[in-house]
Amino acid sequence: MTTLTATPLAAPITLTRMMHDAPATTRAALALIFLSLPFFGALALDVRTIADLNPWIKPLKFSASLALYLLTLSWFAYLLPDRIRQDRRFRIYVMVVLSCIALEMLWIAGAAFVGTTSHFNVSTPFWAASYTLMGLAAVTLTSASLVWGWIIWRNQRGRFSRLVAASLVMTFVLTLPTAGYLSAHGSHFVGTAMSDAGGLWPFGWSREIGDLRVAHFFATHTMQIVPLAYAILLWLAGARLPKGTGTGLTAAFSVFTLATFLQALDGKPFLGAL
Amino acid sequence: MSPDVLFSIANPVALLGWIGLAMWPLARRPIMILCGCAIPLVFSIAYASCILAYWASAQGGYDSLPNVMLLFDTPGIALAGWIHYLAFDLAVGGWIVRDAHRSGIAHWLTLPSLALTFLFGPVGLLLHVALRALTYLRTPHPA
């Protein structure tokens, strides 16, 4: 165990290991990936547009990112103590998180299916109620990053586990305000409401005005980007990294995320020159 | 991709599946996995894609024959229906091959059933059921 956590490159986690450590989240991730196949097909066939974009782009973005989220949680499950992973309350919590993810996908894909928007759609009592409910579901499913991070921190096994814990907690800490502001703002644009088309590839972020999705993206992917950056630095260095590298990386990335948030609030695009 | 293009891809793929099933004894496991499982699965995903893309804009319904005809007036839905046939007929074909093997019926005897399932779906299934009944009646069973 200590060799494993001493360096993340020593013994990479395999799918088999993830299936053993976190069967529910791993299976759910694979199910989401499988579900993406008809979405891809629909993307190729559907001639409708919603805000100038193919209706199936959004469901695909969400199925991909939620699958990645679950796979990351499954990957890091090796740092959760056995007794917690097997605890009934923990397993019930995981089921609640997965149910929230299922509901989110149903809502987003359902809206695309009938040719309307999911987010910010308050056009009828049904859609307005759905939007509120899905907000609650989103906070609940994101809480898994906090719960994972907290447990790993409390049961830390070396530097990398501390970094993972910090990245997970910062994912939650950064996502809540960026996503919360986004959902209350009524639109992801800061500035004159324009077409969704012609945005920065591959996400479609505005290249002309502020786009609140940028900060939301970086916030939600803190848990992948920071540990990955650390692992790459470790591999490049070929030896132990200086003390404080993990803290530095986490802090720098958090500042970067906040900076993109402020940039969007200022009405400025991310990488607008490109 | 337009419905016509998907249609022109789907038909040769189905044909490949049927030829495979016909030649099943040559390589049993790979052929059954490909033709009895994988191809129907791919068709099922294609069908789901069609429904996701075209259902909401289609008119008609399932409650009366004129309404069904109206539904199939939309090219995308007609394509979905066609892929539905391709998927399920091939799945039934795979089942016929496995069922015949389990019941001790020689593979070449299933070829007419396979051909009819390919062309006229349920008719092929009926022929296979009749063949199974005959085999059952011919084999002595304890009273």
Side-chain angles (χ1 to χ4, degrees):
Chain A
M1 274 300 123
T2 29
T3 359
L4 192 68
T5 52
T7 155
L9 304 171
I13 305 293
T14 59
L15 188 64
T16 317
R17 180 73 198 265
M18 286 158 61
M19 197 68 89
H20 169 267
D21 293 341
T25 47
T26 308
R27 284 195 176 87
L30 293 173
L32 272 174
I33 292 168
F34 186 69
L35 188 70
S36 302
L37 294 172
F39 289 166
F40 271 116
L43 182 78
L45 296 169
D46 209 330
V47 294
R48 300 174 299 170
T49 58
I50 300 173
D52 301 324
L53 284 180
N54 189 292
W56 299 101
I57 291 176
K58 185 168 246 176
L60 276 167
K61 280 184 181 177
F62 277 86
S63 63
S65 56
L66 287 168
L68 180 63
Y69 178 59
L70 288 173
L71 285 174
T72 311
L73 290 178
S74 297
W75 208 101
F76 292 146
Y78 81 95
L79 293 168
L80 300 172
D82 282 348
R83 67 172 202 286
I84 292 180
R85 270 193 277 119
Q86 285 153 14
D87 190 305
R88 201 164 154 268
R89 290 165 298 176
F90 181 76
R91 295 208 287 204
I92 289 173
Y93 171 71
V94 171
M95 283 300 145
V96 170
V97 167
L98 293 180
S99 306
C100 289
I101 289 176
L103 284 171
E104 289 276 347
M105 284 313 310
L106 194 66
W107 171 59
I108 293 167
F113 180 60
V114 298
T116 187
T117 52
S118 48
H119 293 73
F120 311 121
N121 186 347
V122 292
S123 57
T124 69
F126 171 75
W127 287 115
S130 301
Y131 189 49
T132 310
L133 216 67
M134 289 303 108
L136 291 169
V139 173
T140 309
L141 73 91
T142 314
S143 73
S145 61
L146 181 68
V147 169
W148 248 246
W150 176 246
I151 295 173
I152 293 173
W153 185 267
R154 292 282 303 264
N155 296 276
Q156 54 188 256
R157 296 186 255 166
R159 295 174 74 185
F160 188 64
S161 70
R162 277 197 297 278
L163 177 79
V164 166
S167 309
L168 285 162
V169 172
M170 284 317 291
T171 298
F172 184 79
V173 166
L174 293 167
T175 301
L176 226 57
T178 51
Y181 188 89
L182 183 57
S183 68
H185 189 69
S187 157
H188 47 250
F189 293 128
V190 178
T192 327
M194 300 160 87
S195 160
D196 267 332
L200 197 67
W201 190 86
F203 306 115
W205 297 332
S206 175
R207 288 194 280 179
E208 283 147 355
I209 57 173
D211 197 325
L212 293 164
R213 294 173 299 178
V214 179
H216 180 39
F217 174 84
F218 288 121
T220 53
H221 292 292
T222 307
M223 60 196 272
Q224 287 106 13
I225 296 172
V226 174
L228 195 62
Y230 186 88
I232 290 171
L233 283 177
L234 198 61
W235 176 65
L236 288 172
R240 278 177 80 85
L241 292 169
K243 214 165 137 61
T245 309
T247 313
L249 271 176
T250 314
F253 189 77
S254 303
V255 168
F256 167 73
T257 304
L258 280 169
T260 61
F261 186 55
L262 294 171
Q263 182 187 44
L265 286 175
D266 198 31
K268 301 281 190 302
F270 182 71
L271 303 179
L274 290 178
Chain B
M1 188 187 288
S2 72
D4 293 296
V5 172
L6 186 53
F7 182 84
S8 60
I9 295 170
N11 280 352
V13 172
L15 200 58
L16 181 75
W18 285 106
I19 292 170
L21 286 180
M23 304 198 307
W24 176 69
L26 297 178
R28 292 180 177 188
R29 211 173 136 75
I31 286 178
M32 189 48 71
I33 289 172
L34 177 68
C35 306
C37 190
I39 295 180
L41 201 66
V42 169
F43 279 145
S44 301
I45 294 169
Y47 175 88
S49 306
C50 288
I51 296 301
L52 288 176
Y54 300 124
W55 184 264
S57 337
Q59 298 191 300
Y62 287 140
D63 53 340
S64 71
L65 193 56
N67 263 347
V68 171
M69 291 167 67
L70 192 60
L71 198 61
F72 289 149
D73 234 4
T74 308
I77 299 297
L79 174 69
W82 185 249
I83 293 176
H84 187 164
Y85 276 5
L86 296 179
F88 276 9
D89 287 354
L90 199 58
V92 169
W95 178 81
I96 287 173
V97 169
R98 293 192 302 273
D99 189 59
H101 178 67
R102 271 193 299 262
S103 321
I105 298 171
H107 178 71
W108 68 267
L109 279 171
T110 70
L111 292 179
S113 305
L114 291 181
L116 279 174
T117 310
F118 169 55
L119 295 169
F120 297 109
V123 178
L125 180 63
L126 282 175
L127 182 62
H128 175 71
V129 170
L131 197 66
R132 281 274 271 124
L134 279 172
T135 316
Y136 182 83
L137 291 170
R138 282 191 58 195
T139 313
H141 289 97

